[in-house]
Amino acid sequence: MAQRQDDKHSSKQKPEILSTDIVAQSRLFKIEQLELMFSNGEQRTYERMRGSGRGAVMIIACPDAEHFYLIREYCAGTHDYQLGFPKGLIDPGEDVITAANRELKEEIGFGAQRFVQLKSLALAPGYFNATMHIVLAFDLYAESLEGDEPEPLELVPWARKNSEALLQQADFTEARSVAALLLAQQYLEANPDVFKQTA
């Protein structure tokens, strides 16, 4: 009997962590150095950015069957404005859905009555221990919460049928948003009745 691919990977022995040290730190980031010993006796030093462990959410909010909402916001890493889906960290005590609903209210001024969790993605797992949970949101209603953004975010409605054009947009480059778009389109095409359901 063939061994399932995920079983094969889960049985692989992880390297032993011999020591860990914080080698750099800022207000937002901690760089951790790991001394590792692999199962074959090889020792190596790795560095990683240590995450909060809480994870984050990215939400594809669908006001109707034909559209979804994007935001345009400033991104310090690239020093420009980028189109993407609403997102944010999961606060202490929140689950994925509670965080998704809060972030929607803070970033686009809507809450949602129904959610579908699509997939949890690792972000640069070679260097960063962080998870982004991709969530679809339906049955939107107007409600705003004050967020922590330095300026109002631009709300950009987008037609689902124009997803290919979105992929060509010069300011739609964030890999997490691209992955979220493709996952959402795949789910919505396979589940067209999702818009007829109620909370």
Side-chain angles (χ1 to χ4, degrees):
M1 182 178 188
Q3 189 177 27
R4 283 176 37 190
Q5 201 65 15
D6 54 350
D7 290 342
K8 181 180 169 187
H9 289 187
S10 64
S11 65
K12 189 160 178 63
Q13 183 179 343
K14 292 190 280 189
E16 178 186 355
I17 298 176
L18 302 175
S19 66
T20 62
D21 290 299
I22 302 296
V23 294
Q25 184 171 340
S26 73
R27 182 176 61 86
L28 294 176
F29 304 110
K30 290 182 181 177
I31 306 298
E32 186 175 48
Q33 188 176 77
L34 306 174
E35 296 296 334
L36 301 173
M37 180 180 289
F38 288 80
S39 59
N40 62 0
E42 285 290 321
Q43 291 189 31
R44 291 287 190 276
T45 301
Y46 278 60
E47 289 185 356
R48 66 183 180 188
M49 189 160 26
R50 196 161 81 180
S52 67
R54 299 194 317 254
V57 291
M58 177 172 280
I59 312 102
I60 304 96
C62 301
D64 55 51
E66 305 301 326
H67 298 86
F68 51 78
Y69 285 140
L70 297 161
I71 56 170
R72 183 175 280 113
E73 67 179 325
Y74 175 72
C75 297
T78 51
H79 189 52
D80 63 6
Y81 284 85
Q82 290 276 321
L83 267 179
F85 293 105
K87 62 188 175 299
L89 288 174
I90 298 173
D91 285 346
E94 287 184 327
D95 60 21
V96 170
I97 299 306
T98 303
N101 211 20
R102 175 184 51 74
E103 286 293 340
L104 280 181
K105 293 173 185 179
E106 291 178 358
E107 297 201 351
I108 68 170
F110 288 95
Q113 295 179 17
R114 285 189 299 129
F115 294 88
V116 174
Q117 291 184 240
L118 295 179
K119 188 169 179 66
S120 297
L121 304 176
L123 312 180
Y127 300 99
F128 191 34
N129 178 17
T131 302
M132 175 69 78
H133 304 279
I134 309 298
V135 180
L136 276 166
F138 304 99
D139 301 336
L140 305 186
Y141 57 90
E143 184 175 334
S144 294
L145 291 175
E146 185 174 343
D148 58 2
E149 288 76 20
E151 62 183 0
L153 301 178
E154 180 185 350
L155 181 62
V156 181
W158 199 276
R160 282 182 51 213
K161 67 181 181 181
N162 294 333
S163 292
E164 287 298 320
L166 178 58
L167 290 170
Q168 302 306 313
Q169 283 279 121
D171 60 350
F172 185 74
T173 65
E174 184 191 22
R176 298 176 299 181
S177 286
V178 172
L181 173 65
L182 299 176
L183 289 166
Q185 288 291 72
Q186 182 184 53
Y187 179 87
L188 294 172
E189 287 169 12
N191 299 276
D193 290 340
V194 72
F195 293 101
K196 299 175 184 175
Q197 299 169 17
T198 56

